[in-house]
Amino acid sequence: MLVRNIYDTPMKPVDMPGVKGAMMAVMVGRGDGAPNFALRHFTVAPGGNTPRHSHDYEHEVFVVEGTGTVMLDGEERPIKAGDVIYVPADKEHQFRCTGRGVGIRFLCLVPVSRNCGEVTPGSG
Amino acid sequence: MLVRNIYDTPMKPVDMPGVKGAMMAVMVGRGDGAPNFALRHFTVAPGGNTPRHSHDYEHEVFVVEGTGTVMLDGEERPIKAGDVIYVPADKEHQFRCTGRGVGIRFLCLVPVSRNCGEVTPGSG
């Protein structure tokens, strides 16, 4: 049975242009046989951010703890624990940690493939 | 921009044979244009449970708070906040709330369709 805790699963630095202070772990993904979507765990340190970018697949995000902002399609909004954010495909977006002392922790789900079977980056 | 908080979004009782004390809300789903998967929020009250059943699509689950158990394919395991559980398609499963005083709160994601386009129940 696959049961993994986000606090026990090692994370790796996110290595992408424009990223600052972000870590990630694929909690369930292609490597586990997940046929449709992958569940990833991210943290962003205070003052850090994910890349400002867009891509041809969607995100569904859940904020576990901390505070920050999401920039989506030119609009910026504060986000906090319990928030669910939908980032449609092809919309420019960026997550920032604006809290002090602690970072922001969130889940970010992606489809495991798009464009008729092409593998989604970071879907494990 | 779609930002919804799980604590502010009204939930409905889960009306299925074998369920006890479970509530749910679709946080992002087909109705929002999500093309691949739906993010649903569930609570199960102390002593309650989801149905013991199986179906032809997978779950990816994240425990937000509380304690309980998951029964999957004949094995039962305790679950707690931060746990991610993968329930493959066609495997019998059931979630129970074993905590006292508070319920268990979790996210449960499903594909929005399966079997070449058939709509997944509860995918919003």
Side-chain angles (χ1 to χ4, degrees):
Chain A
M1 188 190 312
L2 191 165
V3 180
R4 292 176 182 144
N5 196 279
I6 60 171
Y7 300 102
D8 298 337
T9 304
M11 307 184 77
K12 293 181 179 176
V14 178
D15 182 18
M16 295 177 68
V19 74
K20 183 179 174 193
M23 305 278 286
M24 77 94 79
V26 177
M27 299 301 301
V28 183
R30 279 181 295 107
D32 302 301
N36 293 297
F37 52 96
L39 191 157
R40 299 106 49 89
H41 170 214
F42 286 79
T43 56
V44 179
N49 55 263
T50 64
R52 182 173 178 138
H53 68 171
S54 65
H55 38 63
D56 63 356
Y57 52 91
E58 78 278 19
H59 289 316
E60 295 180 21
V61 171
F62 174 74
V63 182
V64 178
E65 57 187 348
T67 54
T69 60
V70 57
M71 188 284 295
L72 178 58
D73 208 21
E75 184 187 354
E76 189 156 24
R77 289 257 295 260
I79 52 174
K80 64 180 190 300
D83 278 345
V84 174
I85 303 117
Y86 177 52
V87 178
D90 300 318
K91 299 290 187 189
E92 193 179 49
H93 59 278
Q94 183 176 44
F95 293 88
R96 290 186 177 280
C97 177
T98 57
R100 296 186 182 196
V102 296
I104 187 167
R105 182 185 304 280
F106 58 89
L107 311 180
C108 176
L109 289 108
V110 294
V112 295
S113 64
R114 76 275 198 250
N115 291 336
C116 303
E118 192 182 334
V119 167
T120 304
S123 64
Chain B
M1 189 191 308
L2 191 165
V3 180
R4 293 177 182 144
N5 196 279
I6 60 170
Y7 300 102
D8 298 337
T9 303
M11 307 184 77
K12 293 181 180 176
V14 178
D15 183 18
M16 294 176 70
V19 73
K20 184 179 174 192
M23 305 278 286
M24 76 94 80
V26 177
M27 299 301 300
V28 182
R30 279 181 294 107
D32 303 300
N36 293 297
F37 52 96
L39 191 158
R40 299 108 47 89
H41 170 214
F42 286 80
T43 57
V44 179
N49 55 264
T50 63
R52 182 173 180 139
H53 68 172
S54 65
H55 38 63
D56 62 357
Y57 52 91
E58 78 278 20
H59 289 317
E60 295 180 22
V61 171
F62 174 73
V63 181
V64 178
E65 57 187 347
T67 54
T69 59
V70 57
M71 186 284 297
L72 178 58
D73 207 21
E75 186 188 354
E76 189 155 25
R77 290 258 294 258
I79 53 174
K80 64 180 189 300
D83 279 345
V84 174
I85 303 116
Y86 176 53
V87 179
D90 301 318
K91 297 291 187 189
E92 192 179 50
H93 58 279
Q94 183 175 44
F95 293 88
R96 289 185 177 280
C97 178
T98 56
R100 296 187 181 197
V102 296
I104 187 168
R105 181 184 305 279
F106 58 90
L107 310 180
C108 175
L109 290 106
V110 294
V112 296
S113 65
R114 76 274 199 249
N115 290 336
C116 303
E118 192 183 334
V119 167
T120 305
S123 65

